Amino acid sequence: MKTRVISAIVLLLVFIPLLIFGGLPFAVLMAILAVASLYELLKIRRKIRKLPICIELFAYILVAFFTMNNFSSADAFYMLDYRLMAFLILVNLSPLVFIGDKEKYNFTDALFLIGATLFIGLTFNLLVLIRGYNISYIVYIFLITTVTDTFALLTGMYIGRRKLAPSISPKKTVEGLIGGSLMGTFVSVMYYVSVINTPLSIGVIIFLTLMLSLLGQLGDLVFSFIKREFGKKDFSNLIPGHGGILDRLDSVIFVTLGFLIFMTIL
């Protein structure tokens, strides 16, 4: 527990100043986290097969470029850079010919790298763009996930009886899902209406926040499923006492993606 608390304090001392400062420093931090997240995905997949080091290296470079794309923009809506997409596809498919050995690198490997790089890169790039647009929205996203996760844990610990998804995450309960969603929605809605100047009605804000809270918990389960598929408890041990980057940001990733979808619709 002591290690876990110390790690959390150190992370906050690094994250909060860079979040407040924004711009290039925050984009660089997100790029580092994106590279670490891709590393974790590739690491757990090594149980099945190991990729050539040069292929992995290009993947890390590309995910950093995706993350920092348009980092100085004040537009929260992502505009896909097709040049990066084209380069991503070429870099991952061309080695099929040059390596010429399906035991070392095959089409499935290429598709996995394309999907993983795009998924991680776009998600962390969205965090950069949303921060550049309005820091209050980033706080809103992290508030939803933090409060939801905290109260889901506490509710499940004290009154949890019915298992939510025992084959994926045995400790999660239906009561925890409800308690986390209610408190995550309440606290985050209070923040939203108090801090963010918006034309949205209170009913829409409550609905939006509740859906994002549920999405965050879905993200937690999805990443738990991925770990179980590869027989891992954590994605890595990069953060002492917490596991890996993806172990800490699984809910944030889904809430960020959901936030963009809802905001473009509304």
Side-chain angles (χ1 to χ4, degrees):
M1 179 60 72
K2 182 179 179 180
T3 301
R4 186 180 180 90
V5 172
I6 293 174
S7 296
I9 293 173
V10 172
L11 289 174
L12 290 175
L13 289 176
V14 173
F15 180 76
I16 293 177
L18 293 178
L19 174 64
I20 294 172
F21 197 84
L24 181 59
F26 183 72
V28 170
L29 173 64
M30 291 298 102
I32 293 172
L33 293 180
V35 170
S37 298
L38 182 60
Y39 165 79
E40 291 177 348
L41 283 179
L42 296 180
K43 182 181 178 182
I44 66 170
R45 193 174 182 267
R46 286 174 190 161
K47 182 180 180 181
I48 297 177
R49 59 188 293 108
K50 187 176 180 180
L51 299 176
I53 187 62
C54 60
I55 302 295
E56 288 195 8
L57 181 60
F58 274 117
Y60 296 138
I61 294 172
L62 280 171
V63 82
F65 270 103
F66 266 108
T67 301
M68 297 188 67
N69 186 40
N70 292 326
F71 73 88
S72 60
S73 173
D75 188 354
F77 301 106
Y78 187 82
M79 299 299 292
L80 185 62
D81 190 329
Y82 288 100
R83 294 169 299 178
L84 279 176
M85 272 297 303
F87 193 62
L88 171 66
I89 294 171
L90 290 173
V91 163
N92 286 291
L93 290 182
S94 297
L96 293 173
V97 174
F98 295 112
I99 295 177
D101 184 350
K102 67 178 182 179
E103 296 302 320
K104 293 182 178 179
Y105 187 70
N106 57 41
F107 187 57
T108 302
D109 297 328
L111 290 182
F112 176 84
L113 274 177
I114 291 171
T117 303
L118 188 60
F119 167 55
I120 297 296
L122 293 188
T123 301
F124 281 92
N125 182 243
L126 285 175
L127 287 169
V128 173
L129 294 178
I130 294 170
R131 166 59 188 90
Y133 179 71
N134 191 333
I135 189 175
S136 298
Y137 285 126
I138 283 287
V139 176
Y140 172 66
I141 288 172
F142 277 94
L143 194 61
I144 291 174
T145 57
T146 302
V147 176
T148 298
D149 289 348
T150 300
F151 280 91
L153 175 64
L154 293 175
T155 306
M157 184 184 302
Y158 290 107
I159 64 172
R161 296 292 182 272
R162 292 179 285 273
K163 298 296 183 181
L164 179 62
S167 62
I168 299 175
S169 185
K171 293 184 179 181
K172 295 190 183 301
T173 64
V174 174
E175 292 81 3
L177 171 74
I178 296 173
S181 298
L182 290 177
M183 286 304 299
T185 300
F186 174 75
V187 174
S188 302
V189 167
M190 292 299 99
Y191 169 82
Y192 196 105
V193 298
S194 301
V195 177
I196 300 176
N197 184 20
T198 175
L200 298 178
S201 67
I202 185 65
V204 171
I205 296 171
I206 292 174
F207 173 77
L208 168 66
T209 308
L210 176 60
M211 291 300 102
L212 291 178
S213 177
L214 292 171
L215 263 181
Q217 295 178 83
L218 175 62
D220 195 338
L221 288 172
V222 168
F223 280 91
S224 293
F225 181 89
I226 295 172
K227 287 184 288 186
R228 285 193 170 274
E229 182 176 349
F230 290 100
K232 298 291 184 178
K233 180 178 182 295
D234 296 315
F235 279 101
S236 73
N237 58 354
L238 288 176
I239 309 174
H242 291 267
I245 303 298
L246 291 176
D247 293 299
R248 293 302 92 207
L249 297 182
D250 47 10
S251 299
V252 173
I253 288 173
F254 265 55
V255 171
T256 300
L257 295 172
F259 176 80
L260 182 75
I261 293 172
F262 281 123
M263 293 307 291
T264 52
I265 293 175
L266 299 173

